[in-house]
Amino acid sequence: MVVLVTGAAGQLGQSLQHVAQSYPGIEWVFCDSTQLDIASTASITAVFSKVKPHYCINAAAYTAVDKAESEPDKAYLINATGPEYLAKACSEFGTTLVHISTDFVFDGTQNTPYTETDPTAPLGVYGASKLAGEQAIQNYSQAYYIIRTSWVYSPFGNNFMMTMLRLARERDSLSVVNDQVGSPTNALDLAATLVELIQKDQVMDAHPYGIYHYSNEGQCTWYEFAKAIFKKNSIAILVQPISTNQFPTPARRPAYSVLSKGKIKQALNIQISDWKTALSKITE
C-alpha cells in the first residue's frame, strides 16, 4: 500500500513522518511543497503518475490565520484550488483522499460541541478558504475523508505550544486570551489516527467516506492551555488571563469551537486521549 503525504514539511507532515516508523508495512512517500505543489496540476500529475498512491493525505495548507486576511488569493490557492486539483487527480488515479480541515469553518456561536452536520459560517478568509476546499473535494471526488481538527500543536514547526515556550524564554510574564474555548490536538495523535483510518478503510467492504471531526477530548481556553504547557515543562512564569477584545487580531476567531468526536469514534472504533494526557506525552 502506497500512501502519499503532501505538506511534509509542516507540523502534521513531520508528525506523520514520525509515526510512519511504526508502520513499516506501508510504503510512504513524503513530499514538501518543492516536491509536490498542490496548486499545480502538472506537479500533481507528475508525482501521481510516478507514485500511483492508494491514499493521499493532504497535510498541505495555508494556516496563517491573520495573514490570510491580507493574502486571500494565496490562501484560496492553497486551501481551495489545491484540494480541488488533488481531488481531480485522486479520482483519475483511483486514490482515496484524506484531507485535513479546521474548526474555523464554524462561527463559534454554539455552546455545545459542533457535529459534522452543523451549519458552517466561517468568520474570516482562512476558514472560508478551508471550507471552499472541503466543497471542492466533495464536488470532484467520491472517495474522500475530510478530517476537521482544532488547535493543533506538536514539537515541530510553528504552533501555540512552541510559541509559548519561546516567549517564556524571552519574558517574565505573558497575557493569554481566556474567553475562546476549544480542544487542543496533539499532531502525533492526529497522525496516528489518520494511519488507523487508512488501515481500517483498506479492509472495509463499505467505505464510510465523508466529513469527520477529530481532536483530543475535553476543552479549555488558550489561557488554560498555556498554563498546562508551562506546568508540564516546569516553567515558572506569570500568566495573566485577558479577553479577546484586549488582544485584537486581523482575523476574528470563533469563541467556541469544540468538535464532537462521536462520529469518528463510532465509525473507526478508536480511543481518543484527553488533551491533558496528550500534552503530557509530548517530548521536545
Side-chain angles (χ1 to χ4, degrees):
M1 178 172 62
V2 180
V3 177
L4 170 66
V5 178
T6 68
Q11 66 166 330
L12 179 56
Q14 292 184 69
S15 296
L16 281 161
Q17 292 183 63
H18 183 83
V19 303
Q21 301 168 30
S22 302
Y23 301 93
I26 296 175
E27 181 181 341
W28 294 92
V29 179
F30 292 95
C31 293
D32 62 24
S33 60
T34 65
Q35 298 162 316
L36 195 166
D37 178 2
I38 66 169
S40 164
T41 55
S43 178
I44 292 171
T45 300
V47 173
F48 271 65
S49 298
K50 180 180 179 180
V51 173
K52 296 178 174 59
H54 298 95
Y55 293 86
C56 173
I57 300 177
N58 181 31
Y62 182 106
T63 58
V65 175
D66 289 320
K67 203 172 181 182
E69 296 298 310
S70 58
E71 292 185 343
D73 291 346
K74 187 173 182 180
Y76 271 88
L77 181 65
I78 299 170
N79 291 343
T81 304
E84 176 184 325
Y85 291 165
L86 279 176
K88 290 177 177 177
C90 285
S91 293
E92 179 183 347
F93 284 86
T95 303
T96 299
L97 178 58
V98 181
H99 174 74
I100 312 304
S101 192
T102 175
D103 57 325
F104 274 59
V105 299
F106 299 113
D107 63 9
T109 56
Q110 285 191 186
N111 56 14
T112 56
Y114 280 94
T115 69
E116 291 79 358
T117 56
D118 282 326
T120 53
L123 296 175
V125 171
Y126 168 67
S129 66
K130 292 295 288 183
L131 180 59
E134 291 186 9
Q135 293 165 340
I137 290 168
Q138 293 174 86
N139 287 337
Y140 293 104
S141 175
Q142 287 74 49
Y144 66 85
Y145 293 95
I146 294 171
I147 312 297
R148 292 175 181 151
T149 189
S150 63
W151 295 25
V152 181
Y153 68 94
S154 71
F156 315 112
N158 296 317
N159 56 73
F160 182 78
M161 181 187 78
M162 298 303 284
T163 298
M164 289 297 104
L165 294 176
R166 175 179 58 81
L167 290 175
R169 292 191 293 269
E170 301 170 356
R171 304 180 187 179
D172 296 323
S173 66
L174 287 173
S175 297
V176 184
V177 170
N178 195 37
D179 57 359
Q180 294 173 22
V181 178
S183 300
T185 304
N186 182 334
L188 292 163
D189 282 5
L190 174 58
T193 297
L194 296 177
V195 181
E196 189 173 353
L197 182 157
I198 287 172
Q199 290 182 316
K200 292 186 175 180
D201 176 80
Q202 199 181 28
V203 299
M204 288 179 178
D205 294 324
H207 305 286
Y209 299 132
I211 298 175
Y212 291 87
H213 289 173
Y214 178 87
S215 68
N216 286 119
E217 295 281 23
Q219 65 183 55
C220 63
T221 66
W222 289 113
Y223 166 77
E224 291 166 335
F225 188 22
K227 293 274 284 186
I229 290 168
F230 296 136
K231 181 179 180 180
K232 186 259 178 189
N233 288 277
S234 301
I235 295 173
I237 185 172
L238 176 62
V239 186
Q240 299 175 312
I242 60 172
S243 69
T244 298
N245 291 337
Q246 292 173 277
F247 188 72
T249 56
R252 293 170 61 200
R253 266 75 170 170
Y256 180 93
S257 62
V258 178
L259 301 174
S260 170
K261 275 77 70 175
K263 182 180 177 183
I264 197 168
K265 286 192 286 189
Q266 182 175 10
L268 300 181
N269 190 29
I270 61 170
Q271 301 295 316
I272 303 178
S273 296
D274 177 82
W275 73 266
K276 290 183 180 179
T277 302
L279 176 63
S280 70
K281 295 186 293 185
I282 287 281
T283 56
E284 285 191 78

